[in-house]
Amino acid sequence: MSTVIGVSGDGFQAYDVVIGRDLLPDLAARIAAMGPGRTVIVTDETVAGLHGPAVLAALKAAGVHARLLTVPPGEASKSFAELERVIDRLLAFGLDRRDRIVALGGGVVGDLAGLAAALYMRGIDFVQVPTTLLAQVDSSVGGKTAIDTPRGKNLVGAFHQPRLVVADIDLLATLPPRQLRSGWAEVLKHGLICDAAFLDWLAGEGAGGATGDAAALIRAVVRSVEIKSAIVGEDQKEVGRRALLNLGHTFGHALEAELGFDEAILTHGEAVALGCALAFRFSAARGLCSGADAERVEAVTAAAGLPTRLEQAGVFGSDRLMDRMAGDKKAEGGRLTLVLARAIGDAFVDRAVDRATLAAFLKTEGAS
């Protein structure tokens, strides 16, 4: 049994997000229904070993001609060099505009393969098959594709919506516990943005999802995708409400960049979790939300095994973090932009954050 959530809005073709278990036959049938074009599955070397044969077998059984294209695992693959290599292989395979790419993997693969699909022949179809919880609830939906540069994360990219997203919960069974918790951070984020009741469920009955309970994971993924698809449908290009989905990300991206995107130290989801805790404490410090709300966010996040304090990630300079945040792609006209909160479930975008106030806050948080 699967749940299908439609994503639609102005400026892009509507598509389905299919969520459930044992979905490879459904994936194969849906790709076959797209037409006779060839399919290239872009995946990383780790995921290729875990899931590549099963996906290829399912597509072959449905009559789909498919082949694998692998990239190294890890954030370092979101680079100009790897993007160029992927596009060169697509050219060598002779793909044309009738053909398609399947992104089989986590957020790195989805971002890289999606950007390659956006650029190749000025845009070809691609399908997202996310294999991490973080990708299932966040990066696979909404059409954001990007690579990193030494100056920051996701600074070069394009909006290119997928034709289909298939989120098979069974694929999460091979995730290391730390990666599952990392994805849980993005699930918590959706409750913090606009659904306090969802956060209550995640902190109580649904908490088992953070450690792999399949039923809780399905409900968590479904609700997260419902929230994200509604926001994306209103605001594809992030000129308004979609910016709320960046709760915790401006802080988190700055921390990741300072650490050289070293996921052995801090995963993206951990950075987002820490960023959300910082955003609520900063909101409380400015009198925007209650201290009790900030304390609850910290408690729920910590209970899921996620970091909430700077010292858990390393030693940081406040000036360096400020410079990173000023260079974030969400900054406008040299002004700092942060997603802050009036309460749990009531986030808003502040596009004119005072630098001195933020710098002072970071020092109270332990930045030098």
Side-chain angles (χ1 to χ4, degrees), residues 47-60:
V47 175
L50 292 169
H51 304 301
V55 173
L56 282 171
L59 291 173
K60 182 178 179 181

Side-chain angles (χ1 to χ4, degrees), residues 121-211:
M121 305 243 172
R122 298 193 176 94
I124 62 173
D125 287 341
F126 86 113
V127 174
Q128 289 271 23
V129 185
T131 61
T132 66
L133 178 59
L134 193 152
Q136 289 190 358
V137 301
D138 185 56
S139 59
S140 66
V141 179
K144 280 187 177 180
T145 70
I147 57 172
D148 303 332
T149 83
R151 295 186 181 275
K153 189 178 176 74
N154 295 333
L155 294 180
V156 177
F159 289 96
H160 188 58
Q161 298 284 351
R163 281 285 306 278
L164 170 70
V165 180
V166 175
D168 190 335
I169 301 301
D170 289 341
L171 299 182
L172 304 181
T174 59
L175 275 184
R178 186 183 182 194
Q179 289 297 325
L180 194 64
R181 292 193 302 270
S182 184
W184 198 249
E186 293 280 6
V187 176
L188 293 174
K189 180 199 75 177
H190 288 118
L192 295 176
I193 288 169
C194 62
D195 193 339
F198 181 43
L199 187 81
D200 289 342
W201 179 81
L202 294 170
E205 180 186 348
T211 54

Side-chain angles (χ1 to χ4, degrees), residues 223-255:
R223 183 60 187 137
S224 293
V225 172
E226 287 174 344
I227 290 170
K228 182 159 189 183
S229 64
I231 292 173
V232 168
E234 290 180 26
D235 178 22
Q236 180 194 190
K237 296 288 182 72
E238 202 175 278
V239 296
R241 189 164 180 249
R242 185 170 181 173
L244 293 176
L245 295 169
N246 291 313
L247 177 67
H249 283 64
T250 301
F251 285 113
H253 285 171
L255 296 172

Side-chain angles (χ1 to χ4, degrees), residues 34-95:
M34 291 179 184
R38 294 163 295 177
T39 298
V40 172
I41 302 167
V42 178
T43 188
D44 71 38
E45 294 155 0
T46 302
V47 175
L50 292 169
H51 304 301
V55 173
L56 282 171
L59 291 173
K60 182 178 179 181
V64 177
H65 175 78
R67 64 194 302 171
L68 286 177
L69 192 167
T70 61
V71 301
E75 188 76 21
S77 282
K78 284 178 55 172
S79 66
F80 278 108
E82 202 59 37
L83 176 65
E84 181 180 17
R85 191 185 74 84
V86 168
I87 290 174
D88 181 68
R89 296 308 301 155
L90 299 177
L91 290 166
F93 294 159
L95 260 65

Side-chain angles (χ1 to χ4, degrees), residues 8 12 22 26 30 38 42 44 53-54 89 107 150 172-173 181 189 234 237 282 292 311 317 332 338 342 347:
S8 61
F12 65 91
D22 189 25
D26 192 347
R30 285 172 175 266
R38 294 163 295 177
V42 178
D44 71 38
R89 296 308 301 155
L172 304 181
R181 292 193 302 270
K189 180 199 75 177
E234 290 180 26
K237 296 288 182 72
F282 184 52
E311 60 263 27
E332 297 178 354
L338 289 177
R342 300 182 186 91

